[in-house]
């Protein structure tokens, strides 16, 4: 998220360094770009970026903010359709930058389009990260 990019990444790293090193840790942080993560990796298989397709994000946010109370809680009394359009445009730019950096750094990207369920995505990540069932 551009407004928070870089501001909290150091705190995430500090927290991770306090965790036991004898097991995998999954970090989900939408504010972090591949260029920030790449210098910390020993192998490219240690990271993957799950990025929504524009259509998936449009469906997901459209459904989330279809509730007028939720939209008002986020955007106040402004025109909710305009606010959603601006949010989608901003997020699409962010996703494009994350994809561009991942490609440039040869880091894996999984496109999320709604065609796979969470279990399938988890299995794909487990395979990618060389994890086995416990």
């Amino acid at each position: 998220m551009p407004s928070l990019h870089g501001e909290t990444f150091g705190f995430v790293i500090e927290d991770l360094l306090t965790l036991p090193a004898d097991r995998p840790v999954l970090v989900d942080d939408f504010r972090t770009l591949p260029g920030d993560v790449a210098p910390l990796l020993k192998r490219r298989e240690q990271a993957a970026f799950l990025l929504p397709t524009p259509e998936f994000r449009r469906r997901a946010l459209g459904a989330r903010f279809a509730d007028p109370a939720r939209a008002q809680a986020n955007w106040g009394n402004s025109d909710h359709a305009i606010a959603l359009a601006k949010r989608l445009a901003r997020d699409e730019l962010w996703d494009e930058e994350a994809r561009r950096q991942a490609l440039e750094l040869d880091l894996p990207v999984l496109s999320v389009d709604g065609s796979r369920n969470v279990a399938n995505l988890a299995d794909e990540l487990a395979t990618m990260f060389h994890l086995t069932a416990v």
Side-chain angles (χ1 to χ4, degrees):
M1 181 149 185
S3 63
L4 298 174
H5 177 248
E7 293 180 16
T8 59
F9 190 58
F11 297 127
V12 172
I13 299 304
E14 285 177 19
D15 288 347
L16 290 172
L17 291 173
T18 67
L19 297 174
D22 64 340
R23 64 190 73 144
V25 175
L26 178 65
V27 178
D28 176 14
D29 185 11
F30 64 91
R31 301 164 298 197
T32 304
L33 288 167
D36 299 322
V37 174
L40 305 172
L41 303 175
K42 291 180 183 175
R43 299 177 323 278
R44 73 180 283 278
E45 295 84 14
Q46 290 179 292
F49 295 86
L50 281 69
L51 297 170
T53 61
E55 299 78 25
F56 180 79
R57 185 182 297 277
R58 196 171 298 110
R59 284 192 316 268
L61 289 181
R64 181 181 302 163
F65 294 112
D67 173 17
R70 187 169 194 173
Q72 185 169 12
N74 280 269
W75 299 316
N77 292 323
S78 65
D79 184 317
H80 297 165
I82 292 172
L84 177 59
K86 287 180 179 181
R87 165 79 185 267
L88 290 168
R90 182 206 65 193
D91 289 356
E92 189 168 352
L93 290 172
W94 183 259
D95 294 342
E96 286 173 5
E97 179 61 16
R99 275 182 181 36
R100 184 194 67 72
Q101 286 187 23
L103 179 65
E104 182 178 289
L105 296 164
D106 191 34
L107 294 174
V109 172
L110 295 176
S111 286
V112 178
D113 62 5
S115 64
R116 294 174 290 188
N117 64 29
V118 173
N120 293 128
L121 283 171
D123 288 345
E124 190 170 346
L125 287 169
T127 299
M128 186 180 295
F129 293 146
H130 306 290
L131 300 175
T132 57
V134 186

